[in-house]
Amino acid sequence: MSLPGGETISASPALSRQRRFVTPGPDETVEALALRALPGQPVEAAVDAIRSWNLHIFAMRKPAGLLLGSDVVFVEPPLG
Amino acid sequence: MFDVIVRGGLVVDGSGQPGFQGDVAVKDGRIAAVGRVEGEARQVVDAAGRVVAPGFIDPHTHFDVQLLWDGAARPALEHGVTCVVPGNCSLSLAPLKAADRPRVVGMFQQIEEMPPEAFTTAFDWTWEDFAGYRAAIEKALSINVAPLVGHSVIRLWVMGPAAQERAATPDEIAAMQDLLRQCLDAGAVGLSTSFVDIDENGRPVPSRFAQFEELDALAAVLGEYGRMLQCVPEFYATDITIARIDQFAELSLKHNIPTTFSPLFDTSAVPDNAPRAIARVEEQFARGARVWPQMQTRPIDISFSLLRPSLFFARLPRWVRVLRLPLEARLAALRDPDTVAKLVADTGPDGGEAMMGRLILRGGDAAPAELAGKTLSEIAKARGQVPAQALIDLSLEHGLDVAFLSASQGHQSTDRIGPMLAHPLVHIGASDGGAHIASFSTYGDTGYLFSEFVRKGRHLSLEQAVAKITGETADIWGLKDRGRLQPGLAADIVVFDAETIDREAELPTFDMPGDGMRYVRAARGIDTVLVNGEVAYANGAYTEARAGVVCV
C-alpha cells in the first residue's frame, strides 16, 4: 500500500512484484518526499532520481513538478 | 391478463446460459413469466426470429446534463440500452451549490467536450443537493438511470475553492463522508473519482488534490452501503494504471466494495498495456479484491473541425486556446500570421505531417466534395503547403466548416480486443455516452459488440455477449433488480435481430441545445425496447412512455 511512509503493496507476497511507489503527504515537497522514499541518499541525488522516474509529474504536467495528494510517485525505475 | 407478452423469440436471459425459444410476460412493470406463457395480454410483441434479451446497461456515461432535457438519452435507448450510469470521472451535477455551477460547467466543457449552451438554454437549475437533481431528471425519464456522485463536486461543496488547492482537514473529510451518505441515501449508486482530468484552465480537478486517506474515508462510507467506487486512471501509462489497480484493490478488500476503472485501451504503441493490466486484475481478484477494468468495444476515431475545441488537440494547448475563442476572435486569430506561425510550429518541425498528415477529410460539410476522402497530406501537397497550414487555410476558406477524421487512434485490433472483451474479469463499458459529442459518436458500442465480436470475430457467443452487458453488469454494480429476464425483476427488455444488430455510420446532427452539433450513430437491428414494462421504442420510433426511474 502507498500510504505515506509505508511500504507499497507490491511487496505483498501474494502478488507479482511491480514498481514500488508512494503518495505525497500534505504539503510535502519533492525534497522531503525524496528523502523519505530514498533514505540515506544525498538529497540532490534522491530528487534527481525521483524526477527521472516520474516524468508524468515532472515533465508532462503543467506546471511541471506540481505534486498532488493523489499522485503515484515511483521510487524506483521501471522494472526490467 | 398480462400487460405485455413478448412472444416466440429466442430468449437470451442475461445469465450466459443457452438461449431457448419462449415468451416473456410482463405485469405491472415487472417480468411475470418466462417460457411458454399461456394467457392474454393487452399488448403482444411478436418476436419470431428475434432475440429477446434484458435491456443493456451502459456503465460509463456522462448523460448528467442531457437527461435534463432528453429523458431517453437519445440515441442510447434505441440501441437497446435501458439503464445508463452517469456521474463518472469525479463529475456530477449534484451536489452543487449555485455559486459553484460555473466552475463545474467549465470542467464538463473541458473534460467531456460539452457545449456551453447545454448548460444555459435547455433547463432551469432547480437543485443543489443530490435529491434535487434526482427529482429534476425523474420528471420525464424513459430510460433508467443509476447515477454516480462525483468526488470533485463533493470536495467542492465542502471545501470551496480550496478543493483545487490543498489536502482536506479531518473535519472536512468527515463533512465529505456525511455528504456522500446523503447522496447515497438519495439514490447514488457509488462515487467516481479522477486521477487525470484538468479543468478549463488547465488546473487539476478537485479529486486529484485528495490524499489517499480521504479516498479511504469515502470508500469506508461506500462500504456501509456496498456501493461502487469508479475512477479514471492514468490509462496512458501501464505502471501507473497498475498502481491504481493496487490502490483500488486495497480499498475493495478493506471496505468490501466493488471498484472499477475506465478506460482500459489496447494500443499497438504499447502492446502489453492492456494484457499487463488484466494480469494484475487477475492477481487482485485471486486475493478477493474486486477491481473491474472497463473496456470499450469501438476503435478510437476522432472527428473535428475548427468550429469548436476538440479532443484531437489535447496535446496542443495553443490550438485549444484559439479554438475556445468566440467565433470572430477565433477567425481573427487564424488569419493572424504570427499566431498561425506559432500554431504550425507547435505541430512539429515537419509542419504537422506526422501529427496530421493522415487525417481524412470527411464529406457532408462545406468542404469541396472532390476533397472528401483525401488525406490532409495529399491536400497539403496539392496546395504546396505543410499539413497544419493547409488545415487552417482550407478551414478558413469554408467558414471553418470542414470536418476531418483521425481514424484508428488505437483500440482497433479486433483479434486482440475480442479475447479481452471475452475475459471473465473484463467489464464491457467505457462508452462515454453523452460526452465528447463533437469528436465521436459514443452510441452504438453494444451493436458493434454483436457485429464485430459475435458475428464477425466469434470471440463471444451471443449468450456471452448479452450476459456481459446485462446480467454481469448488474451483478458488478449491485443493480439487483436489473440485468436478467427472471420473474420478479424489472421488465427492461430488448428485442433484436441477431443477424443484423449493429451501429450505423457516424453522422453529424444538430439536435443539441442552441443547434449544437454532435456525432451520432443510429441503431440497426433493434426492433423493440421496453423499459419497466412499457414500450419505449418500437419500429424505429420513440414512444411517449416515460417509465424510466432512478434505479438502485
Side-chain angles (χ1 to χ4, degrees):
Chain A
M1 181 40 85
S2 59
L3 293 173
E7 281 293 307
T8 68
I9 190 174
S10 299
S12 168
L15 296 166
S16 64
R17 175 156 145 60
Q18 301 289 335
R19 283 178 84 182
R20 292 185 300 119
F21 66 93
V22 298
T23 55
D27 300 321
E28 191 170 35
T29 63
V30 63
E31 288 79 10
L33 184 146
L35 287 174
R36 169 164 68 89
L38 303 171
Q41 288 200 24
V43 63
E44 285 187 10
V47 167
D48 285 348
I50 292 293
R51 288 181 187 277
S52 70
W53 298 330
N54 294 281
L55 298 181
H56 59 291
I57 297 170
F58 297 99
M60 296 166 63
R61 178 173 295 169
K62 292 181 179 176
L66 172 66
L67 273 180
L68 302 173
S70 66
D71 278 338
V72 163
V73 183
F74 291 112
V75 296
E76 62 182 356
L79 303 181
Chain B
M1 174 74 78
F2 296 109
D3 296 328
V4 182
I5 296 179
V6 183
R7 283 221 182 269
L10 178 68
V11 178
V12 178
D13 66 4
S15 69
Q17 295 300 306
F20 57 89
Q21 289 294 319
D23 315 315
V24 178
V26 175
K27 179 75 174 173
D28 297 331
R30 300 200 163 265
I31 295 170
V34 179
R36 289 293 174 199
V37 176
E38 302 295 332
E40 298 181 347
R42 288 189 285 109
Q43 185 175 7
V44 175
V45 175
D46 179 9
R50 299 290 188 261
V51 172
V52 183
F56 307 147
I57 303 170
D58 187 339
H60 186 122
T61 83
H62 296 276
F63 284 119
D64 308 72
V65 61
Q66 186 177 331
L67 288 167
L68 289 158
W69 71 80
D70 170 17
R74 298 179 195 218
L77 195 147
E78 70 195 61
H79 284 278
V81 175
T82 57
C83 183
V84 295
V85 179
N88 279 275
C89 306
S90 93
L91 290 180
S92 56
L93 288 181
L96 183 58
K97 294 173 183 173
D100 292 327
R101 286 171 188 157
R103 186 184 287 252
V104 171
V105 167
M107 293 177 200
F108 268 98
Q109 288 179 241
Q110 164 67 24
I111 300 163
E112 308 305 345
E113 299 183 278
M114 293 178 183
E117 294 82 1
F119 299 89
T120 56
T121 65
F123 63 89
D124 295 322
W125 292 84
T126 58
W127 69 90
E128 288 195 335
D129 63 7
F130 203 87
Y133 172 73
R134 174 178 176 168
I137 62 170
E138 274 187 324
K139 288 176 181 171
L141 284 180
S142 47
I143 199 167
N144 296 312
V145 181
L148 291 163
V149 58
H151 185 184
S152 283
V153 296
I154 282 184
R155 219 167 189 268
L156 195 56
W157 179 286
V158 170
M159 299 176 66
Q164 280 183 286
E165 294 169 0
R166 61 169 172 80
T169 66
D171 285 348
E172 288 168 336
I173 291 174
M176 285 186 232
Q177 288 182 299
D178 288 342
L179 185 56
L180 176 57
R181 285 189 189 92
Q182 291 176 28
C183 296
L184 294 168
D185 287 336
V189 299
L191 176 76
S192 69
T193 193
S194 169
F195 297 115
V196 300
D197 290 307
I198 56 175
D199 69 11
E200 75 278 23
N201 300 311
R203 187 82 177 157
V205 295
S207 64
R208 296 178 63 190
F209 289 83
Q211 304 293 132
F212 187 80
E213 289 85 344
E214 178 181 321
L215 196 57
D216 182 49
L218 294 173
V221 174
L222 295 174
E224 297 169 13
Y225 293 74
R227 285 304 190 183
M228 177 67 81
L229 175 63
Q230 181 269 348
C231 82
V232 52
E234 295 87 337
F235 53 86
Y236 44 81
T238 313
D239 281 352
I240 311 178
T241 298
I242 287 173
R244 298 302 184 194
I245 291 170
D246 288 353
Q247 286 185 314
F248 267 43
E250 290 308 299
L251 295 174
S252 174
L253 288 168
K254 181 177 179 182
H255 302 294
N256 192 24
I257 57 171
T259 68
T260 185
F261 66 95
S262 53
L264 176 61
F265 287 129
D266 184 55
T267 167
S268 58
V270 190
D272 68 346
N273 177 61
R276 279 187 62 204
I278 292 171
R280 191 59 165 186
V281 164
E282 290 172 342
E283 291 182 3
Q284 292 291 4
F285 266 89
R287 298 174 68 220
R290 288 174 285 168
V291 188
W292 298 96
Q294 283 187 43
M295 181 172 277
Q296 69 184 51
T297 62
R298 69 172 187 274
I300 302 170
D301 298 333
I302 298 175
S303 295
F304 69 90
S305 74
L306 301 191
L307 279 170
R308 53 190 67 82
S310 167
L311 194 62
F312 179 80
F313 298 104
R315 294 185 182 276
L316 295 170
R318 196 189 316 269
W319 286 72
V320 173
R321 286 196 297 274
V322 168
L323 295 181
R324 282 216 187 106
L325 293 170
L327 182 58
E328 289 306 316
R330 193 182 331 150
L331 287 166
L334 292 172
R335 290 180 182 126
D336 174 58
D338 290 341
T339 301
V340 170
K342 291 174 183 170
L343 292 172
V344 172
D346 287 348
T347 65
D350 60 358
E353 180 61 39
M355 185 181 294
M356 299 175 165
R358 286 177 296 173
L359 290 172
I360 297 168
L361 196 141
R362 294 182 64 124
D365 46 45
E370 65 271 19
L371 296 183
K374 291 187 180 300
T375 67
L376 182 59
S377 182
E378 293 169 336
I379 295 169
K381 285 190 177 105
R383 296 170 65 99
Q385 296 178 307
V386 295
Q389 185 75 54
L391 187 152
I392 292 170
D393 287 355
L394 184 62
S395 298
L396 283 171
E397 290 161 13
H398 300 281
L400 305 188
D401 191 12
V402 183
F404 295 88
L405 169 66
S406 178
S408 301
Q409 294 257 304
H411 203 69
Q412 68 260 33
S413 169
T414 294
D415 289 341
R416 285 178 55 83
I417 295 164
M420 288 191 267
L421 293 176
H423 190 290
L425 298 180
V426 171
H427 183 17
I428 294 180
S431 81
D432 256 348
H436 306 296
I437 60 175
S439 290
F440 44 76
S441 168
T442 56
Y443 322 99
D445 286 19
T446 47
Y448 190 70
L449 169 67
F450 292 101
S451 66
E452 188 71 11
F453 299 101
V454 176
R455 289 203 303 273
K456 179 182 171 187
R458 299 184 181 280
H459 299 98
L460 296 92
S461 69
L462 173 68
E463 289 85 353
Q464 283 177 304
V466 168
K468 276 280 189 182
I469 56 176
T470 59
E472 291 181 18
T473 300
D475 290 347
I476 290 168
W477 285 78
L479 301 173
K480 297 181 176 65
D481 210 23
R482 314 275 156 187
R484 287 187 173 81
L485 299 180
Q486 289 181 1
L489 298 191
D492 297 338
I493 301 169
V494 57
V495 181
F496 66 89
D497 182 349
E499 299 304 315
T500 62
I501 184 172
D502 204 345
R503 57 179 196 173
E504 295 283 8
E506 182 177 87
L507 296 172
T509 185
F510 296 84
D511 61 353
M512 293 296 286
D515 295 326
M517 190 279 282
R518 63 172 176 159
Y519 285 107
V520 299
R521 291 178 186 271
R524 183 187 302 171
I526 301 287
D527 287 4
T528 308
V529 182
L530 287 84
V531 175
N532 295 313
E534 295 191 24
V535 175
Y537 177 85
N539 304 316
Y542 289 81
T543 73
E544 296 300 313
R546 297 289 183 270
V549 297
V550 171
C551 52
V552 294

